PDB file of all heavy atoms in Angstrom:
ATOM      1  N   GLU A   1       0.854  -1.190   0.000  1.00  0.00           N
ATOM      2  CA  GLU A   1       0.000   0.000   0.000  1.00  0.00           C
ATOM      3  C   GLU A   1       0.889   1.238   0.000  1.00  0.00           C
ATOM      4  O   GLU A   1       2.022   1.194   0.476  1.00  0.00           O
ATOM      5  CB  GLU A   1      -0.931  -0.016   1.215  1.00  0.00           C
ATOM      6  CG  GLU A   1      -0.207  -0.244   2.534  1.00  0.00           C
ATOM      7  CD  GLU A   1      -1.125  -0.666   3.662  1.00  0.00           C
ATOM      8  OE1 GLU A   1      -2.327  -0.327   3.613  1.00  0.00           O
ATOM      9  OE2 GLU A   1      -0.651  -1.328   4.591  1.00  0.00           O
ATOM     10  N   PHE A   2       0.383   2.327  -0.548  1.00  0.00           N
ATOM     11  CA  PHE A   2       1.167   3.549  -0.687  1.00  0.00           C
ATOM     12  C   PHE A   2       0.869   4.587   0.390  1.00  0.00           C
ATOM     13  O   PHE A   2       1.607   5.556   0.526  1.00  0.00           O
ATOM     14  CB  PHE A   2       0.925   4.176  -2.060  1.00  0.00           C
ATOM     15  CG  PHE A   2       1.391   3.331  -3.206  1.00  0.00           C
ATOM     16  CD1 PHE A   2       0.491   2.837  -4.134  1.00  0.00           C
ATOM     17  CD2 PHE A   2       2.739   3.024  -3.365  1.00  0.00           C
ATOM     18  CE1 PHE A   2       0.914   2.049  -5.195  1.00  0.00           C
ATOM     19  CE2 PHE A   2       3.164   2.245  -4.421  1.00  0.00           C
ATOM     20  CZ  PHE A   2       2.250   1.759  -5.342  1.00  0.00           C
ATOM     21  N   PHE A   3      -0.214   4.417   1.125  1.00  0.00           N
ATOM     22  CA  PHE A   3      -0.604   5.411   2.123  1.00  0.00           C
ATOM     23  C   PHE A   3      -1.412   4.722   3.215  1.00  0.00           C
ATOM     24  O   PHE A   3      -1.871   3.585   3.053  1.00  0.00           O
ATOM     25  CB  PHE A   3      -1.417   6.539   1.482  1.00  0.00           C
ATOM     26  CG  PHE A   3      -2.558   6.050   0.629  1.00  0.00           C
ATOM     27  CD1 PHE A   3      -3.793   5.737   1.196  1.00  0.00           C
ATOM     28  CD2 PHE A   3      -2.403   5.893  -0.741  1.00  0.00           C
ATOM     29  CE1 PHE A   3      -4.833   5.271   0.412  1.00  0.00           C
ATOM     30  CE2 PHE A   3      -3.449   5.424  -1.530  1.00  0.00           C
ATOM     31  CZ  PHE A   3      -4.669   5.118  -0.954  1.00  0.00           C
ATOM     32  N   THR A   4      -1.563   5.421   4.331  1.00  0.00           N
ATOM     33  CA  THR A   4      -2.329   4.888   5.450  1.00  0.00           C
ATOM     34  C   THR A   4      -3.693   5.581   5.523  1.00  0.00           C
ATOM     35  O   THR A   4      -3.914   6.615   4.891  1.00  0.00           O
ATOM     36  CB  THR A   4      -1.588   5.097   6.780  1.00  0.00           C
ATOM     37  OG1 THR A   4      -1.565   6.501   7.088  1.00  0.00           O
ATOM     38  CG2 THR A   4      -0.146   4.593   6.689  1.00  0.00           C
ATOM     39  N   ALA A   5      -4.571   5.019   6.329  1.00  0.00           N
ATOM     40  CA  ALA A   5      -5.922   5.582   6.470  1.00  0.00           C
ATOM     41  C   ALA A   5      -5.891   6.954   7.131  1.00  0.00           C
ATOM     42  O   ALA A   5      -6.822   7.752   6.974  1.00  0.00           O
ATOM     43  CB  ALA A   5      -6.796   4.626   7.278  1.00  0.00           C
ATOM     44  N   GLN A   6      -4.826   7.247   7.868  1.00  0.00           N
ATOM     45  CA  GLN A   6      -4.738   8.515   8.593  1.00  0.00           C
ATOM     46  C   GLN A   6      -4.156   9.649   7.756  1.00  0.00           C
ATOM     47  O   GLN A   6      -4.192  10.814   8.169  1.00  0.00           O
ATOM     48  CB  GLN A   6      -3.880   8.346   9.851  1.00  0.00           C
ATOM     49  CG  GLN A   6      -4.469   7.421  10.916  1.00  0.00           C
ATOM     50  CD  GLN A   6      -4.382   5.951  10.543  1.00  0.00           C
ATOM     51  OE1 GLN A   6      -3.386   5.512   9.970  1.00  0.00           O
ATOM     52  NE2 GLN A   6      -5.434   5.199  10.845  1.00  0.00           N
ATOM     53  N   GLU A   7      -3.631   9.345   6.586  1.00  0.00           N
ATOM     54  CA  GLU A   7      -2.936  10.354   5.794  1.00  0.00           C
ATOM     55  C   GLU A   7      -3.888  11.093   4.853  1.00  0.00           C
ATOM     56  O   GLU A   7      -4.775  10.493   4.238  1.00  0.00           O
ATOM     57  CB  GLU A   7      -1.794   9.708   4.999  1.00  0.00           C
ATOM     58  CG  GLU A   7      -0.673   9.225   5.902  1.00  0.00           C
ATOM     59  CD  GLU A   7       0.440   8.501   5.157  1.00  0.00           C
ATOM     60  OE1 GLU A   7       0.152   7.759   4.210  1.00  0.00           O
ATOM     61  OE2 GLU A   7       1.605   8.682   5.545  1.00  0.00           O
ATOM     62  N   GLU A   8      -3.684  12.400   4.748  1.00  0.00           N
ATOM     63  CA  GLU A   8      -4.476  13.234   3.846  1.00  0.00           C
ATOM     64  C   GLU A   8      -3.951  13.074   2.423  1.00  0.00           C
ATOM     65  O   GLU A   8      -2.738  13.134   2.188  1.00  0.00           O
ATOM     66  CB  GLU A   8      -4.382  14.699   4.275  1.00  0.00           C
ATOM     67  CG  GLU A   8      -5.129  15.665   3.364  1.00  0.00           C
ATOM     68  CD  GLU A   8      -4.886  17.115   3.721  1.00  0.00           C
ATOM     69  OE1 GLU A   8      -4.367  17.367   4.824  1.00  0.00           O
ATOM     70  OE2 GLU A   8      -5.200  17.991   2.881  1.00  0.00           O
ATOM     71  N   LEU A   9      -4.857  12.896   1.470  1.00  0.00           N
ATOM     72  CA  LEU A   9      -4.464  12.620   0.096  1.00  0.00           C
ATOM     73  C   LEU A   9      -4.980  13.679  -0.866  1.00  0.00           C
ATOM     74  O   LEU A   9      -6.047  14.261  -0.672  1.00  0.00           O
ATOM     75  CB  LEU A   9      -4.994  11.250  -0.358  1.00  0.00           C
ATOM     76  CG  LEU A   9      -4.603  10.025   0.469  1.00  0.00           C
ATOM     77  CD1 LEU A   9      -5.240   8.774  -0.129  1.00  0.00           C
ATOM     78  CD2 LEU A   9      -3.088   9.878   0.544  1.00  0.00           C
ATOM     79  N   ASP A  10      -4.189  13.911  -1.918  1.00  0.00           N
ATOM     80  CA  ASP A  10      -4.613  14.705  -3.075  1.00  0.00           C
ATOM     81  C   ASP A  10      -4.579  13.767  -4.272  1.00  0.00           C
ATOM     82  O   ASP A  10      -3.509  13.384  -4.742  1.00  0.00           O
ATOM     83  CB  ASP A  10      -3.665  15.887  -3.287  1.00  0.00           C
ATOM     84  CG  ASP A  10      -3.915  16.628  -4.600  1.00  0.00           C
ATOM     85  OD1 ASP A  10      -4.881  16.285  -5.315  1.00  0.00           O
ATOM     86  OD2 ASP A  10      -3.126  17.537  -4.919  1.00  0.00           O
ATOM     87  N   MET A  11      -5.748  13.385  -4.756  1.00  0.00           N
ATOM     88  CA  MET A  11      -5.841  12.460  -5.885  1.00  0.00           C
ATOM     89  C   MET A  11      -6.304  13.167  -7.157  1.00  0.00           C
ATOM     90  O   MET A  11      -6.650  12.504  -8.144  1.00  0.00           O
ATOM     91  CB  MET A  11      -6.802  11.320  -5.544  1.00  0.00           C
ATOM     92  CG  MET A  11      -6.437  10.533  -4.295  1.00  0.00           C
ATOM     93  SD  MET A  11      -4.891   9.595  -4.470  1.00  0.00           S
ATOM     94  CE  MET A  11      -5.491   8.116  -5.280  1.00  0.00           C
ATOM     95  N   ASN A  12      -6.279  14.499  -7.169  1.00  0.00           N
ATOM     96  CA  ASN A  12      -6.854  15.257  -8.279  1.00  0.00           C
ATOM     97  C   ASN A  12      -5.838  16.053  -9.091  1.00  0.00           C
ATOM     98  O   ASN A  12      -6.096  16.348 -10.264  1.00  0.00           O
ATOM     99  CB  ASN A  12      -7.931  16.215  -7.749  1.00  0.00           C
ATOM    100  CG  ASN A  12      -9.071  15.480  -7.074  1.00  0.00           C
ATOM    101  OD1 ASN A  12      -9.559  14.476  -7.576  1.00  0.00           O
ATOM    102  ND2 ASN A  12      -9.495  15.974  -5.911  1.00  0.00           N
ATOM    103  N   THR A  13      -4.712  16.431  -8.496  1.00  0.00           N
ATOM    104  CA  THR A  13      -3.775  17.315  -9.197  1.00  0.00           C
ATOM    105  C   THR A  13      -3.211  16.662 -10.450  1.00  0.00           C
ATOM    106  O   THR A  13      -3.098  17.303 -11.503  1.00  0.00           O
ATOM    107  CB  THR A  13      -2.628  17.726  -8.260  1.00  0.00           C
ATOM    108  OG1 THR A  13      -3.177  18.473  -7.166  1.00  0.00           O
ATOM    109  CG2 THR A  13      -1.614  18.592  -8.996  1.00  0.00           C
ATOM    110  N   PHE A  14      -2.864  15.388 -10.349  1.00  0.00           N
ATOM    111  CA  PHE A  14      -2.271  14.676 -11.487  1.00  0.00           C
ATOM    112  C   PHE A  14      -3.161  13.511 -11.911  1.00  0.00           C
ATOM    113  O   PHE A  14      -3.967  13.003 -11.128  1.00  0.00           O
ATOM    114  CB  PHE A  14      -0.882  14.153 -11.129  1.00  0.00           C
ATOM    115  CG  PHE A  14       0.113  15.231 -10.796  1.00  0.00           C
ATOM    116  CD1 PHE A  14       0.426  15.520  -9.474  1.00  0.00           C
ATOM    117  CD2 PHE A  14       0.727  15.965 -11.801  1.00  0.00           C
ATOM    118  CE1 PHE A  14       1.340  16.511  -9.161  1.00  0.00           C
ATOM    119  CE2 PHE A  14       1.632  16.965 -11.505  1.00  0.00           C
ATOM    120  CZ  PHE A  14       1.939  17.240 -10.180  1.00  0.00           C
ATOM    121  N   SER A  15      -2.969  13.094 -13.145  1.00  0.00           N
ATOM    122  CA  SER A  15      -3.773  12.004 -13.690  1.00  0.00           C
ATOM    123  C   SER A  15      -3.409  10.652 -13.090  1.00  0.00           C
ATOM    124  O   SER A  15      -4.284   9.869 -12.723  1.00  0.00           O
ATOM    125  CB  SER A  15      -3.609  11.955 -15.218  1.00  0.00           C
ATOM    126  OG  SER A  15      -4.261  10.832 -15.766  1.00  0.00           O
ATOM    127  N   SER A  16      -2.107  10.382 -12.975  1.00  0.00           N
ATOM    128  CA  SER A  16      -1.653   9.051 -12.547  1.00  0.00           C
ATOM    129  C   SER A  16      -0.797   9.085 -11.295  1.00  0.00           C
ATOM    130  O   SER A  16      -0.204   8.076 -10.928  1.00  0.00           O
ATOM    131  CB  SER A  16      -0.866   8.385 -13.684  1.00  0.00           C
ATOM    132  OG  SER A  16      -1.665   8.231 -14.832  1.00  0.00           O
ATOM    133  N   ILE A  17      -0.719  10.246 -10.658  1.00  0.00           N
ATOM    134  CA  ILE A  17       0.103  10.408  -9.454  1.00  0.00           C
ATOM    135  C   ILE A  17      -0.768  10.897  -8.305  1.00  0.00           C
ATOM    136  O   ILE A  17      -1.491  11.888  -8.442  1.00  0.00           O
ATOM    137  CB  ILE A  17       1.247  11.410  -9.686  1.00  0.00           C
ATOM    138  CG1 ILE A  17       2.172  10.924 -10.805  1.00  0.00           C
ATOM    139  CG2 ILE A  17       2.044  11.642  -8.404  1.00  0.00           C
ATOM    140  CD1 ILE A  17       3.194  11.959 -11.254  1.00  0.00           C
ATOM    141  N   GLY A  18      -0.708  10.196  -7.192  1.00  0.00           N
ATOM    142  CA  GLY A  18      -1.361  10.655  -5.978  1.00  0.00           C
ATOM    143  C   GLY A  18      -0.348  11.346  -5.078  1.00  0.00           C
ATOM    144  O   GLY A  18       0.864  11.182  -5.239  1.00  0.00           O
ATOM    145  N   ILE A  19      -0.827  12.126  -4.123  1.00  0.00           N
ATOM    146  CA  ILE A  19       0.058  12.870  -3.233  1.00  0.00           C
ATOM    147  C   ILE A  19      -0.412  12.718  -1.792  1.00  0.00           C
ATOM    148  O   ILE A  19      -1.581  12.960  -1.487  1.00  0.00           O
ATOM    149  CB  ILE A  19       0.090  14.374  -3.586  1.00  0.00           C
ATOM    150  CG1 ILE A  19       0.421  14.586  -5.065  1.00  0.00           C
ATOM    151  CG2 ILE A  19       1.110  15.101  -2.709  1.00  0.00           C
ATOM    152  CD1 ILE A  19       0.280  16.044  -5.511  1.00  0.00           C
ATOM    153  N   VAL A  20       0.498  12.313  -0.910  1.00  0.00           N
ATOM    154  CA  VAL A  20       0.247  12.362   0.529  1.00  0.00           C
ATOM    155  C   VAL A  20       0.599  13.768   0.990  1.00  0.00           C
ATOM    156  O   VAL A  20       1.699  14.256   0.742  1.00  0.00           O
ATOM    157  CB  VAL A  20       1.103  11.316   1.277  1.00  0.00           C
ATOM    158  CG1 VAL A  20       0.910  11.450   2.780  1.00  0.00           C
ATOM    159  CG2 VAL A  20       0.743   9.905   0.823  1.00  0.00           C
ATOM    160  N   LYS A  21      -0.336  14.431   1.666  1.00  0.00           N
ATOM    161  CA  LYS A  21      -0.184  15.847   2.043  1.00  0.00           C
ATOM    162  C   LYS A  21       0.120  16.019   3.527  1.00  0.00           C
ATOM    163  O   LYS A  21      -0.338  16.965   4.161  1.00  0.00           O
ATOM    164  CB  LYS A  21      -1.455  16.615   1.687  1.00  0.00           C
ATOM    165  CG  LYS A  21      -1.854  16.573   0.217  1.00  0.00           C
ATOM    166  CD  LYS A  21      -0.849  17.277  -0.665  1.00  0.00           C
ATOM    167  CE  LYS A  21      -0.823  18.763  -0.455  1.00  0.00           C
ATOM    168  NZ  LYS A  21       0.064  19.450  -1.436  1.00  0.00           N
ATOM    169  N   ASN A  22       0.899  15.114   4.099  1.00  0.00           N
ATOM    170  CA  ASN A  22       1.207  15.207   5.529  1.00  0.00           C
ATOM    171  C   ASN A  22       1.996  16.467   5.859  1.00  0.00           C
ATOM    172  O   ASN A  22       2.858  16.901   5.099  1.00  0.00           O
ATOM    173  CB  ASN A  22       2.016  13.989   5.974  1.00  0.00           C
ATOM    174  CG  ASN A  22       1.139  12.767   6.106  1.00  0.00           C
ATOM    175  OD1 ASN A  22      -0.065  12.884   6.159  1.00  0.00           O
ATOM    176  ND2 ASN A  22       1.743  11.603   6.159  1.00  0.00           N
ATOM    177  N   LYS A  23       1.734  17.013   7.012  1.00  0.00           N
ATOM    178  CA  LYS A  23       2.473  18.173   7.496  1.00  0.00           C
ATOM    179  C   LYS A  23       2.944  17.908   8.924  1.00  0.00           C
ATOM    180  O   LYS A  23       2.139  17.656   9.817  1.00  0.00           O
ATOM    181  CB  LYS A  23       1.590  19.432   7.484  1.00  0.00           C
ATOM    182  CG  LYS A  23       1.049  19.807   6.102  1.00  0.00           C
ATOM    183  CD  LYS A  23       2.146  20.285   5.164  1.00  0.00           C
ATOM    184  CE  LYS A  23       1.560  20.738   3.830  1.00  0.00           C
ATOM    185  NZ  LYS A  23       2.606  21.119   2.865  1.00  0.00           N
ATOM    186  N   ASN A  24       4.254  17.959   9.097  1.00  0.00           N
ATOM    187  CA  ASN A  24       4.847  17.964  10.441  1.00  0.00           C
ATOM    188  C   ASN A  24       4.408  16.798  11.336  1.00  0.00           C
ATOM    189  O   ASN A  24       4.072  16.978  12.500  1.00  0.00           O
ATOM    190  CB  ASN A  24       4.541  19.286  11.144  1.00  0.00           C
ATOM    191  CG  ASN A  24       5.069  20.475  10.364  1.00  0.00           C
ATOM    192  OD1 ASN A  24       6.140  20.416   9.779  1.00  0.00           O
ATOM    193  ND2 ASN A  24       4.312  21.558  10.356  1.00  0.00           N
ATOM    194  N   PHE A  25       4.379  15.585  10.769  1.00  0.00           N
ATOM    195  CA  PHE A  25       4.013  14.443  11.607  1.00  0.00           C
ATOM    196  C   PHE A  25       5.274  13.877  12.281  1.00  0.00           C
ATOM    197  O   PHE A  25       5.775  12.823  11.996  1.00  0.00           O
ATOM    198  CB  PHE A  25       3.281  13.365  10.787  1.00  0.00           C
ATOM    199  CG  PHE A  25       4.128  12.657   9.766  1.00  0.00           C
ATOM    200  CD1 PHE A  25       4.573  11.360   9.988  1.00  0.00           C
ATOM    201  CD2 PHE A  25       4.484  13.278   8.577  1.00  0.00           C
ATOM    202  CE1 PHE A  25       5.353  10.702   9.047  1.00  0.00           C
ATOM    203  CE2 PHE A  25       5.259  12.625   7.643  1.00  0.00           C
ATOM    204  CZ  PHE A  25       5.699  11.335   7.876  1.00  0.00           C
ATOM    205  N   PHE A  26       5.793  14.652  13.217  1.00  0.00           N
ATOM    206  CA  PHE A  26       6.961  14.215  13.962  1.00  0.00           C
ATOM    207  C   PHE A  26       6.965  14.897  15.323  1.00  0.00           C
ATOM    208  O   PHE A  26       6.298  15.912  15.533  1.00  0.00           O
ATOM    209  CB  PHE A  26       8.256  14.545  13.211  1.00  0.00           C
ATOM    210  CG  PHE A  26       8.519  16.022  13.070  1.00  0.00           C
ATOM    211  CD1 PHE A  26       9.204  16.718  14.046  1.00  0.00           C
ATOM    212  CD2 PHE A  26       8.075  16.728  11.951  1.00  0.00           C
ATOM    213  CE1 PHE A  26       9.443  18.089  13.936  1.00  0.00           C
ATOM    214  CE2 PHE A  26       8.304  18.087  11.823  1.00  0.00           C
ATOM    215  CZ  PHE A  26       8.994  18.771  12.818  1.00  0.00           C
ATOM    216  N   ASN A  27       7.702  14.313  16.237  1.00  0.00           N
ATOM    217  CA  ASN A  27       7.893  14.878  17.565  1.00  0.00           C
ATOM    218  C   ASN A  27       9.382  15.136  17.741  1.00  0.00           C
ATOM    219  O   ASN A  27      10.185  14.200  17.744  1.00  0.00           O
ATOM    220  CB  ASN A  27       7.366  13.901  18.629  1.00  0.00           C
ATOM    221  CG  ASN A  27       7.477  14.448  20.040  1.00  0.00           C
ATOM    222  OD1 ASN A  27       8.566  14.821  20.491  1.00  0.00           O
ATOM    223  ND2 ASN A  27       6.365  14.470  20.751  1.00  0.00           N
ATOM    224  N   GLU A  28       9.760  16.387  17.870  1.00  0.00           N
ATOM    225  CA  GLU A  28      11.168  16.771  17.921  1.00  0.00           C
ATOM    226  C   GLU A  28      11.919  16.034  19.034  1.00  0.00           C
ATOM    227  O   GLU A  28      13.012  15.510  18.828  1.00  0.00           O
ATOM    228  CB  GLU A  28      11.283  18.282  18.130  1.00  0.00           C
ATOM    229  CG  GLU A  28      12.708  18.804  18.174  1.00  0.00           C
ATOM    230  CD  GLU A  28      13.364  18.848  16.811  1.00  0.00           C
ATOM    231  OE1 GLU A  28      12.680  19.179  15.834  1.00  0.00           O
ATOM    232  OE2 GLU A  28      14.565  18.529  16.732  1.00  0.00           O
ATOM    233  N   ASP A  29      11.327  15.972  20.203  1.00  0.00           N
ATOM    234  CA  ASP A  29      11.988  15.324  21.336  1.00  0.00           C
ATOM    235  C   ASP A  29      12.189  13.828  21.081  1.00  0.00           C
ATOM    236  O   ASP A  29      13.236  13.267  21.424  1.00  0.00           O
ATOM    237  CB  ASP A  29      11.158  15.518  22.616  1.00  0.00           C
ATOM    238  CG  ASP A  29      11.120  16.972  23.070  1.00  0.00           C
ATOM    239  OD1 ASP A  29      12.054  17.729  22.701  1.00  0.00           O
ATOM    240  OD2 ASP A  29      10.169  17.344  23.781  1.00  0.00           O
ATOM    241  N   VAL A  30      11.214  13.195  20.482  1.00  0.00           N
ATOM    242  CA  VAL A  30      11.305  11.760  20.191  1.00  0.00           C
ATOM    243  C   VAL A  30      12.397  11.494  19.162  1.00  0.00           C
ATOM    244  O   VAL A  30      13.171  10.533  19.290  1.00  0.00           O
ATOM    245  CB  VAL A  30       9.944  11.219  19.705  1.00  0.00           C
ATOM    246  CG1 VAL A  30      10.084   9.781  19.221  1.00  0.00           C
ATOM    247  CG2 VAL A  30       8.915  11.295  20.827  1.00  0.00           C
ATOM    248  N   LEU A  31      12.498  12.348  18.142  1.00  0.00           N
ATOM    249  CA  LEU A  31      13.534  12.184  17.128  1.00  0.00           C
ATOM    250  C   LEU A  31      14.923  12.349  17.734  1.00  0.00           C
ATOM    251  O   LEU A  31      15.850  11.581  17.431  1.00  0.00           O
ATOM    252  CB  LEU A  31      13.330  13.181  15.989  1.00  0.00           C
ATOM    253  CG  LEU A  31      12.072  13.025  15.127  1.00  0.00           C
ATOM    254  CD1 LEU A  31      12.080  14.036  13.988  1.00  0.00           C
ATOM    255  CD2 LEU A  31      11.954  11.617  14.561  1.00  0.00           C
ATOM    256  N   GLU A  32      15.085  13.354  18.568  1.00  0.00           N
ATOM    257  CA  GLU A  32      16.384  13.584  19.204  1.00  0.00           C
ATOM    258  C   GLU A  32      16.761  12.432  20.128  1.00  0.00           C
ATOM    259  O   GLU A  32      17.928  12.017  20.173  1.00  0.00           O
ATOM    260  CB  GLU A  32      16.356  14.903  19.986  1.00  0.00           C
ATOM    261  CG  GLU A  32      16.325  16.141  19.090  1.00  0.00           C
ATOM    262  CD  GLU A  32      16.343  17.434  19.889  1.00  0.00           C
ATOM    263  OE1 GLU A  32      16.319  17.353  21.146  1.00  0.00           O
ATOM    264  OE2 GLU A  32      16.369  18.512  19.261  1.00  0.00           O
ATOM    265  N   LYS A  33      15.788  11.904  20.848  1.00  0.00           N
ATOM    266  CA  LYS A  33      16.044  10.775  21.746  1.00  0.00           C
ATOM    267  C   LYS A  33      16.437   9.534  20.948  1.00  0.00           C
ATOM    268  O   LYS A  33      17.354   8.789  21.334  1.00  0.00           O
ATOM    269  CB  LYS A  33      14.799  10.487  22.584  1.00  0.00           C
ATOM    270  CG  LYS A  33      14.990   9.416  23.653  1.00  0.00           C
ATOM    271  CD  LYS A  33      15.978   9.863  24.722  1.00  0.00           C
ATOM    272  CE  LYS A  33      16.045   8.864  25.868  1.00  0.00           C
ATOM    273  NZ  LYS A  33      17.055   9.242  26.879  1.00  0.00           N
ATOM    274  N   PHE A  34      15.760   9.305  19.826  1.00  0.00           N
ATOM    275  CA  PHE A  34      16.087   8.173  18.954  1.00  0.00           C
ATOM    276  C   PHE A  34      17.531   8.266  18.472  1.00  0.00           C
ATOM    277  O   PHE A  34      18.298   7.297  18.553  1.00  0.00           O
ATOM    278  CB  PHE A  34      15.130   8.147  17.763  1.00  0.00           C
ATOM    279  CG  PHE A  34      15.469   7.118  16.715  1.00  0.00           C
ATOM    280  CD1 PHE A  34      15.074   5.801  16.862  1.00  0.00           C
ATOM    281  CD2 PHE A  34      16.193   7.471  15.573  1.00  0.00           C
ATOM    282  CE1 PHE A  34      15.385   4.849  15.891  1.00  0.00           C
ATOM    283  CE2 PHE A  34      16.512   6.533  14.608  1.00  0.00           C
ATOM    284  CZ  PHE A  34      16.100   5.220  14.767  1.00  0.00           C
ATOM    285  N   GLU A  35      17.895   9.433  17.963  1.00  0.00           N
ATOM    286  CA  GLU A  35      19.253   9.626  17.457  1.00  0.00           C
ATOM    287  C   GLU A  35      20.277   9.428  18.571  1.00  0.00           C
ATOM    288  O   GLU A  35      21.320   8.787  18.368  1.00  0.00           O
ATOM    289  CB  GLU A  35      19.385  11.024  16.850  1.00  0.00           C
ATOM    290  CG  GLU A  35      20.698  11.277  16.150  1.00  0.00           C
ATOM    291  CD  GLU A  35      20.693  12.563  15.359  1.00  0.00           C
ATOM    292  OE1 GLU A  35      19.752  13.379  15.524  1.00  0.00           O
ATOM    293  OE2 GLU A  35      21.637  12.769  14.566  1.00  0.00           O
ATOM    294  N   SER A  36      20.003   9.952  19.750  1.00  0.00           N
ATOM    295  CA  SER A  36      20.912   9.817  20.882  1.00  0.00           C
ATOM    296  C   SER A  36      21.072   8.354  21.293  1.00  0.00           C
ATOM    297  O   SER A  36      22.196   7.874  21.530  1.00  0.00           O
ATOM    298  CB  SER A  36      20.392  10.635  22.063  1.00  0.00           C
ATOM    299  OG  SER A  36      21.168  10.419  23.217  1.00  0.00           O
ATOM    300  N   ASN A  37      19.973   7.619  21.360  1.00  0.00           N
ATOM    301  CA  ASN A  37      20.026   6.216  21.765  1.00  0.00           C
ATOM    302  C   ASN A  37      20.797   5.358  20.765  1.00  0.00           C
ATOM    303  O   ASN A  37      21.584   4.486  21.156  1.00  0.00           O
ATOM    304  CB  ASN A  37      18.611   5.663  21.928  1.00  0.00           C
ATOM    305  CG  ASN A  37      17.901   6.213  23.151  1.00  0.00           C
ATOM    306  OD1 ASN A  37      18.541   6.776  24.047  1.00  0.00           O
ATOM    307  ND2 ASN A  37      16.587   6.065  23.200  1.00  0.00           N
ATOM    308  N   ILE A  38      20.571   5.605  19.466  1.00  0.00           N
ATOM    309  CA  ILE A  38      21.277   4.838  18.440  1.00  0.00           C
ATOM    310  C   ILE A  38      22.775   5.141  18.486  1.00  0.00           C
ATOM    311  O   ILE A  38      23.620   4.233  18.383  1.00  0.00           O
ATOM    312  CB  ILE A  38      20.706   5.137  17.037  1.00  0.00           C
ATOM    313  CG1 ILE A  38      19.264   4.638  16.926  1.00  0.00           C
ATOM    314  CG2 ILE A  38      21.575   4.493  15.954  1.00  0.00           C
ATOM    315  CD1 ILE A  38      19.069   3.146  17.086  1.00  0.00           C
ATOM    316  N   ASN A  39      23.126   6.400  18.667  1.00  0.00           N
ATOM    317  CA  ASN A  39      24.548   6.772  18.750  1.00  0.00           C
ATOM    318  C   ASN A  39      25.223   6.146  19.968  1.00  0.00           C
ATOM    319  O   ASN A  39      26.397   5.767  19.916  1.00  0.00           O
ATOM    320  CB  ASN A  39      24.698   8.289  18.770  1.00  0.00           C
ATOM    321  CG  ASN A  39      24.480   8.912  17.396  1.00  0.00           C
ATOM    322  OD1 ASN A  39      24.723   8.266  16.374  1.00  0.00           O
ATOM    323  ND2 ASN A  39      24.010  10.143  17.364  1.00  0.00           N
ATOM    324  N   LYS A  40      24.497   6.023  21.071  1.00  0.00           N
ATOM    325  CA  LYS A  40      25.058   5.376  22.259  1.00  0.00           C
ATOM    326  C   LYS A  40      25.357   3.907  21.982  1.00  0.00           C
ATOM    327  O   LYS A  40      26.399   3.382  22.397  1.00  0.00           O
ATOM    328  CB  LYS A  40      24.087   5.499  23.439  1.00  0.00           C
ATOM    329  CG  LYS A  40      24.040   6.886  24.066  1.00  0.00           C
ATOM    330  CD  LYS A  40      23.022   6.941  25.200  1.00  0.00           C
ATOM    331  CE  LYS A  40      22.931   8.345  25.789  1.00  0.00           C
ATOM    332  NZ  LYS A  40      21.881   8.432  26.848  1.00  0.00           N
ATOM    333  N   LEU A  41      24.456   3.240  21.301  1.00  0.00           N
ATOM    334  CA  LEU A  41      24.684   1.840  20.939  1.00  0.00           C
ATOM    335  C   LEU A  41      25.930   1.700  20.065  1.00  0.00           C
ATOM    336  O   LEU A  41      26.752   0.790  20.263  1.00  0.00           O
ATOM    337  CB  LEU A  41      23.467   1.283  20.198  1.00  0.00           C
ATOM    338  CG  LEU A  41      22.176   1.087  21.001  1.00  0.00           C
ATOM    339  CD1 LEU A  41      21.044   0.636  20.079  1.00  0.00           C
ATOM    340  CD2 LEU A  41      22.375   0.074  22.117  1.00  0.00           C
TER     341      LEU A  41
END
């Protein structure tokens, strides 16, 4: 599958191309913690 049920889609701009229109689906603190933990390993 190319997208999830939670993602906003644009299926009209192009004939054969769909677009996921997600904005800022991240948590800065979680990303930094992930990077820190992996670097420690």
Side-chain angles (χ1 to χ4, degrees):
E1 51 197 334
F2 296 117
F3 50 85
T4 69
Q6 294 74 39
E7 292 176 322
E8 178 187 346
L9 303 179
D10 171 5
M11 303 294 276
N12 299 316
T13 297
F14 298 101
S15 174
S16 300
I17 299 171
I19 307 172
V20 176
K21 302 294 292 186
N22 284 344
K23 300 291 184 184
N24 301 322
F25 68 105
F26 66 88
N27 182 304
E28 181 75 38
D29 293 336
V30 172
L31 294 184
E32 289 182 357
K33 186 66 173 177
F34 173 83
E35 187 170 12
S36 174
N37 289 344
I38 294 298
N39 285 332
K40 285 178 182 177
L41 291 175

